[in-house]
Amino acid sequence: MTTTVRLDVNGEVREVRADGATPLLDVLRDQLGLVGAKRGCSYGVCGTCTVLIDGMAARACLAVAADCEGRAIETVEALAPGPDRLHPIQAALARAGAVQCGFCIPGVVMAARALLAVNPAPDEDAVREALSGQMCRCSGYGALVEAIVGMGRPQDG
Amino acid sequence: MADTLAVGRGIPRLEAPAKLTGRAVYVDDIRRPGMLHAALLLAPHAHARIVSVDVSAALALPGVRCVLTGDDLPHRFGAFVKDETVLARGTVRYFGEPVAAVAADDLATARAAVDLIVATYEDRPSVMDPDAALAPGAPVLHADFATYERRRASPLPPNVCAETTIAEGDAEAAFAGCDVVVEGVFETQPQVHCYLEPCGAVAEVDDRGRVTIWSPCQSVFRVQATVAEALDLPMSRVRAIATMVGGAFGGKSDVTVQPAAALLAMRTGRPVKLVLSRNDDFLSMRTRHPARVRVRTGAMRDGTLVARTVDLTLDGGAYAEDSGAVLGFALLMARGPYRIPHVRCVGRAVYTNRLRAAGFRGYGNPQVTFAGEAQIDDIAARLGLDPVEIRLRNAMRTGDRWVGGQELASCGLTECLEAVRDAARAVRRPPPAPGRRRGTGFSAIAHICGILSTSAVLKVLEDGTLTLNTGAVDLGEGSDTVLAQICAEALQVPVDRVNFAVPDTDGSPYNWSTGGSRVTYMVGRAVTAAAADVREKLFAHAADMMECAAIDLELRPGGKVGIAGVPGREVGFRAISMRAHWAVGGPVIGTASVMFEGGFDPKRTEMTGDGIGRLGTYVFGAQAAEVEVDEATGEVRVLEVWSAHDVGRAINPLAVAGQIQGGVAQGLGYALMEDLVYDGERPANPSLADYKVPGAPDLPPIRPIIVEHPEPTGPFGAKGIGEPPVIGVAPAVRNAIAAATGVRLAVLPMTPERVLDALSAQEERSDDGTGD
């Protein structure tokens, strides 16, 4: 049965329509116009729809929207302070040349954000583990890993 | 590189911020007013006669607006053989072939309607591999093949869609004089492109009755041409626009779902979105050609290679698509990058009741290179030679001629081989744990960049900034950025003053495709030529404005034209363009059209069938992999990969490194794990959960090594890099396994089971005392 569900998305309470099975991803993309989370498989394997739920990386295609009431949902759209100003994670990925086709990138950004929140200076193994659910077919992961590891190092200057 | 403004600089790509913030628009992100959603019915048989398709229940479902079947789309299309319709008509030829298409108010309704379509089939015997397809009396997939329109209309045996021979010298005679002749049969599997973005399209009929199609594709012009053919429309009634492309790798080279979306839009008068589910994409799109390659190579005792023969059978699947070209190209590359005077390469592409095979990064080259480069190591082992030394001894060099006679204007193969050898040998690791064996393997590779025609239009806007329009689609490799860098360098302006236009058949000049590693090289040539045209026109204005001769003028950084040797005497692009727009001559627009015209000498080289002569400029590279093999489980862990490529000149070293690392990763998947397995007539693992592609923890450090031997015909000396990094990975890993364990594998992927079986067989042989 479709009901109204109140979701806290990117710090704003939004009312959406969902039944007991509607995936969070459908609500984000189709009702709220937040298309940064991508649909690569719809069954929790590719990681292109990764968002944060209460700070933890989660698959929006597997999360049930109605279960997310009262929890803080964050999508990639919340990160950059402005169109020409990137979040430090985003800037690091751009500098490293880690962005190719870009379809995996919003999910990677969110997975990196979840990792860095609990482990501000991850080593390479920790980063590879954190990205284990984020498929990328373009990069071979090297530049993604390098950029995220670099976030934990003291910055020059 | 301090003398350059833009070329040679590893700048982040232009569209990175949009992709990083989620603002980049992919096809599934598009919404149009009144848009319908579509879904496909896929066939549950590999080979069957369609008895009937009853769509009445589907049409009766509220919200359903249109149902199409094969009878609505009767026109056959295909680049080499016109053998395919958008929806199956009369016969289905592979499990997953689209049979019907539904458009409805929402996706759930469209999918529910698909389930209400009642299709009945009469099963036919299937042929699931080339041996079965070529057997006497085998079921014939295309009974009307003889009546199909084909690019080359010579007779072919049943179930064969292309045949080719390429030969030079006299290989059979030359074998007799060789000290050693090694023969082997190698087999490769169907690898799935697995672009992260499933195929899709949005189509809409505009107010003039034309159909506009937004889609991720490798060429808006091929989409336009093929949709026009499939729908029997003039090309002028079809407009194709590229969206952001979430990966392609060859899998979005031909049309995917654009024709069905276009006809649904035309029938309903509403915009229609058709995006495949991941599993429907697996079942109905494409794979790399599975191949069987029989190779024979003859050498002298000192390692000099003398002769090679190759017999290649490609499994083309149910429809020919690009099989003829993949076959011809594979055979052109099958000699390998060596000075082998006697060579005979023959092959065929065969229809089977599998998913159609198509171009996939490397285009037939990974299959023949796996075989050929494995065999080079086998010869080295037989002769007791170092595997890098034997390659260096025979390596092609600048000035040598490829099969067909085309002279190499640049060839950094020797340097690439030395670079990966030195890098691999410099590594020191602690010894492996007991039960694990370690080894390093090498491969040498060649490929092309080029192919057919392309063009560019460069407009100087009133304020002196530039709009570059080439029609080339950036699939994620960074070509928009690289072309903007080439343009910026040619006119000495900052990259941010070059606007790169979205490919659109209405406004863009023709570009054959993003494929064949061609965009940097071919479109780059068009861009430099268009920039030269602009420069000449700017100079004519500047000469008038400063009352001097155009020959005395020079470009100055920042978008200015000055009198050489007279500092301060200069005019900006803005002033020139304002004059051109408002006073004299009209807007400054530079144009260029180019065609790759290489040489193929029929007196030197025999070529029959769908062989390909004038393809492109040759590119070279070398790869090395160090592996550790677990003797108890057969698991192969790759410790590190080195990949050296002569790119002529790296326009953007960051993007080049990205291409190398990503290509090697796909090569490692091909080498070790990826395989679309058939369980009888149906794919057993058509999902990302069951078809394993490498993840972040699976992959080792991948070390790109950029070698630069400028190519005289390339833009600022550049050559292509898109495909080469995938090509030699599987043989390098195979040769590393051989170096570690002595087992010489011949079948991809090299799964733990296959490695363990080979290790066990080796053990049995040595127990029998029959081992070598």
Side-chain angles (χ1 to χ4, degrees):
Chain A
M1 192 186 67
T2 302
T3 59
T4 299
V5 176
R6 291 162 60 85
L7 295 179
D8 172 359
V9 182
N10 298 335
E12 224 179 295
V13 175
R14 309 283 298 267
E15 286 192 354
V16 299
R17 303 286 295 168
D19 64 22
T22 307
L24 177 62
L25 182 61
D26 290 10
V27 166
L28 292 175
R29 289 183 57 84
D30 301 339
Q31 294 187 44
L32 301 180
L34 296 169
V35 296
K38 300 299 177 199
R39 187 187 300 283
C41 70
S42 300
Y43 40 77
V45 174
C46 74
T48 58
C49 66
T50 298
V51 298
L52 302 192
I53 300 177
D54 288 340
M56 305 277 285
R59 302 276 202 258
C61 71
L62 296 182
V64 172
D67 293 346
C68 293
E69 268 194 321
R71 307 173 73 181
I73 298 159
E74 188 180 281
T75 71
V76 73
E77 283 87 352
L79 263 64
D84 297 324
R85 291 175 55 217
L86 297 177
H87 183 277
I89 295 173
Q90 296 166 325
L93 289 166
R95 270 197 312 275
V99 181
Q100 293 197 29
C101 89
F103 206 74
C104 74
I105 287 291
V108 167
V109 168
M110 299 314 283
R113 182 161 167 78
L115 170 69
L116 291 166
V118 295
N119 182 357
D123 63 12
E124 181 173 335
D125 286 347
V127 173
R128 284 190 183 268
E129 186 54 38
L131 295 184
S132 63
Q134 306 301 131
M135 269 185 61
C136 171
R137 190 59 158 164
C138 297
S139 74
Y141 302 99
L144 296 170
V145 172
E146 188 187 308
I148 298 166
V149 170
M151 292 287 303
R153 287 195 209 107
Q155 300 298 305
D156 295 338
Chain B
M1 299 293 162
D3 57 329
T4 61
L5 201 64
V7 160
R9 297 186 184 274
I11 60 171
R13 61 195 61 198
L14 307 174
E15 80 291 359
K19 288 173 172 173
L20 283 155
T21 55
R23 286 186 290 112
V25 179
Y26 298 84
V27 68
D28 200 18
D29 304 335
I30 294 175
R31 280 207 253 179
R32 305 287 298 167
M35 187 172 80
L36 303 175
H37 297 262
L40 300 177
L41 172 68
L42 306 185
H45 298 273
H47 199 188
R49 188 173 74 85
I50 301 173
V51 178
S52 63
V53 183
D54 180 354
V55 302
S56 54
L59 274 172
L61 189 69
V64 170
R65 303 296 169 179
C66 182
V67 181
L68 300 177
T69 66
D71 291 338
D72 295 295
L73 286 146
H75 305 287
R76 282 199 305 267
F77 62 91
F80 289 80
V81 181
K82 300 203 183 304
D83 60 0
E84 187 163 6
T85 52
V86 174
L87 300 168
R89 289 191 83 217
T91 304
V92 297
R93 297 184 175 88
Y94 66 91
F95 187 100
E97 182 166 5
V99 171
V102 177
D105 290 348
D106 57 67
L107 186 56
T109 304
R111 289 190 173 154
V114 162
D115 291 339
L116 292 174
I117 297 172
V118 182
T120 53
Y121 304 90
E122 183 185 291
D123 225 351
R124 284 185 176 171
S126 58
V127 287
M128 298 310 294
D129 61 59
D131 287 343
L134 297 175
V140 174
L141 267 81
H142 293 271
D144 298 332
F145 185 78
T147 68
Y148 289 173
E149 188 185 330
R150 286 191 281 150
R151 192 174 286 187
R152 231 185 113 264
S154 62
L156 289 169
N159 288 332
V160 171
C161 66
E163 262 184 355
T164 292
T165 300
I166 299 177
E168 280 183 10
D170 188 344
E172 286 305 330
F175 281 132
C178 291
D179 292 327
V180 57
V181 177
V182 175
E183 181 162 354
V185 178
F186 299 85
E187 291 184 7
T188 67
Q189 79 282 29
Q191 182 182 27
V192 181
H193 299 78
C194 282
Y195 30 69
L196 269 194
E197 177 203 35
C199 290
V202 171
E204 179 176 318
V205 177
D206 73 13
D207 44 16
R208 282 172 286 170
R210 298 182 316 162
V211 64
T212 298
I213 302 156
W214 292 265
S215 68
C217 60
Q218 293 179 225
S219 167
V220 287
F221 301 96
R222 188 161 178 180
V223 170
Q224 180 188 39
T226 310
V227 168
E229 186 170 44
L231 271 54
D232 196 26
L233 294 171
M235 284 173 68
S236 54
R237 294 270 312 279
V238 179
R239 177 185 183 191
I241 301 172
T243 58
M244 205 64 85
V245 182
F249 316 115
K252 295 170 183 172
S253 176
D254 206 341
V255 293
T256 59
V257 298
Q258 294 95 340
L263 189 59
L264 287 168
M266 291 168 70
R267 288 284 171 87
T268 60
R270 306 255 301 261
V272 172
K273 178 190 283 186
L274 173 50
V275 176
L276 293 177
S277 71
R278 173 58 64 181
N279 292 9
D280 282 1
D281 190 292
F282 262 99
L283 288 170
S284 64
M285 286 294 129
R286 296 163 168 88
T287 71
R288 190 187 292 289
H289 285 79
R292 181 187 295 152
V293 198
R294 179 180 294 275
V295 197
R296 234 178 139 202
T297 307
M300 304 312 290
R301 202 163 285 116
D302 66 358
T304 302
L305 302 173
V306 176
R308 172 172 274 187
T309 58
V310 173
D311 184 280
L312 170 66
T313 300
L314 294 178
D315 182 343
Y319 295 99
E321 224 237 31
D322 280 4
S323 286
V326 172
L327 174 69
F329 182 64
L331 295 175
L332 185 67
M333 305 312 289
R335 181 176 72 172
Y338 302 115
R339 296 164 157 173
I340 304 180
H342 303 283
V343 59
R344 172 164 290 271
C345 302
V346 301
R348 64 215 59 80
V350 181
Y351 283 126
T352 67
N353 292 112
R354 287 192 185 222
L355 193 55
R356 77 178 76 58
F360 185 167
R361 203 174 193 171
Y363 215 73
N365 197 351
Q367 293 92 321
V368 295
T369 297
F370 172 62
E373 283 300 286
Q375 190 153 84
I376 295 293
D377 259 49
D378 295 351
I379 292 170
R382 181 80 72 86
L383 294 172
L385 296 173
D386 176 90
V388 177
E389 284 308 314
I390 192 173
R391 288 181 168 87
L392 286 169
R393 171 180 289 274
N394 294 284
M396 298 189 82
R397 290 160 202 270
T398 303
D400 285 351
R401 290 179 188 277
W402 196 265
V403 179
Q406 188 174 309
E407 188 175 332
L408 307 180
S410 63
C411 175
L413 177 58
T414 296
E415 201 175 327
C416 290
L417 277 164
E418 290 169 348
V420 294
R421 176 194 63 194
D422 295 349
R425 289 185 181 162
V427 172
R428 294 281 172 271
R429 295 182 215 281
R436 290 174 169 275
R437 293 162 75 170
R438 219 178 259 165
T440 301
F442 298 88
S443 64
I445 56 171
H447 201 67
I448 52 102
C449 60
I451 308 180
L452 297 172
S453 69
T454 200
S455 50
V457 173
L458 180 57
K459 297 191 277 192
V460 185
L461 309 184
E462 285 136 283
D463 66 355
T465 61
L466 304 159
T467 289
L468 175 61
N469 199 349
T470 69
V473 183
D474 189 335
L475 314 178
E477 75 282 8
S479 62
D480 289 1
T481 307
V482 163
L483 295 174
Q485 285 178 269
I486 289 171
C487 179
E489 189 69 42
L491 289 171
Q492 294 289 296
V493 298
V495 176
D496 65 10
R497 289 198 205 165
V498 182
N499 163 46
F500 195 91
V502 171
D504 175 345
T505 54
D506 259 12
S508 298
Y510 181 80
N511 165 56
W512 172 68
S513 186
T514 300
S517 305
R518 72 191 288 276
V519 176
T520 298
Y521 176 75
M522 287 301 289
V523 187
R525 282 171 61 186
V527 171
T528 52
D533 191 18
V534 162
R535 188 178 56 219
E536 192 178 318
K537 289 170 177 167
L538 291 173
F539 278 17
H541 279 282
D544 268 4
M545 292 162 79
M546 293 190 285
E547 296 180 334
C548 65
I551 198 166
D552 294 328
L553 295 171
E554 64 182 7
L555 284 174
R556 289 185 183 158
K560 295 177 205 137
V561 180
I563 301 176
V566 189
R569 285 277 283 156
E570 59 193 26
V571 289
F573 285 8
R574 183 176 189 280
I576 296 172
S577 194
M578 290 298 279
R579 179 180 194 259
H581 275 84
W582 302 108
V584 180
V588 173
I589 300 173
T591 63
S593 292
V594 295
M595 168 71 81
F596 186 85
E597 292 169 17
F600 191 92
D601 179 359
K603 290 196 288 293
R604 173 193 172 102
T605 310
E606 172 194 348
M607 187 169 70
T608 65
D610 294 306
I612 299 170
R614 297 177 183 82
L615 264 187
T617 292
Y618 289 89
V619 300
F620 298 90
Q623 300 183 295
E626 185 176 4
V627 307
E628 201 169 277
V629 181
D630 186 321
E631 291 176 303
T633 64
E635 188 197 4
V636 176
R637 207 175 120 228
V638 180
L639 302 178
E640 198 160 344
V641 176
W642 299 267
S643 194
H645 300 272
D646 177 8
V647 298
R649 182 167 187 193
I651 303 293
N652 184 327
L654 198 61
V656 169
Q659 286 299 289
I660 294 174
Q661 291 180 317
V664 168
Q666 287 179 357
L668 288 170
Y670 188 50
L672 295 170
M673 59 181 82
E674 294 185 39
D675 193 358
L676 187 67
V677 178
Y678 272 71
D679 177 8
E681 296 192 334
R682 59 186 296 173
N685 56 340
S687 86
L688 283 181
D690 299 316
Y691 180 96
K692 174 75 176 143
V693 302
D698 301 321
L699 289 174
I702 298 165
R703 313 288 184 199
I705 300 170
I706 297 174
V707 172
E708 295 182 301
H709 283 255
E711 162 61 35
T713 61
F716 297 99
K719 298 205 268 190
I721 186 61
E723 295 166 281
V726 82
I727 293 167
V729 177
V733 170
R734 181 268 188 193
N735 293 338
I737 295 169
T741 65
V743 302
R744 305 193 159 272
L745 298 170
V747 179
L748 294 183
M750 297 174 285
T751 56
E753 293 82 352
R754 286 191 175 126
V755 175
L756 201 56
D757 284 350
L759 285 168
S760 307
Q762 182 191 46
E763 207 168 301
E764 278 166 30
R765 275 202 309 275
S766 63
D767 288 349
D768 294 348
T770 55
D772 52 18

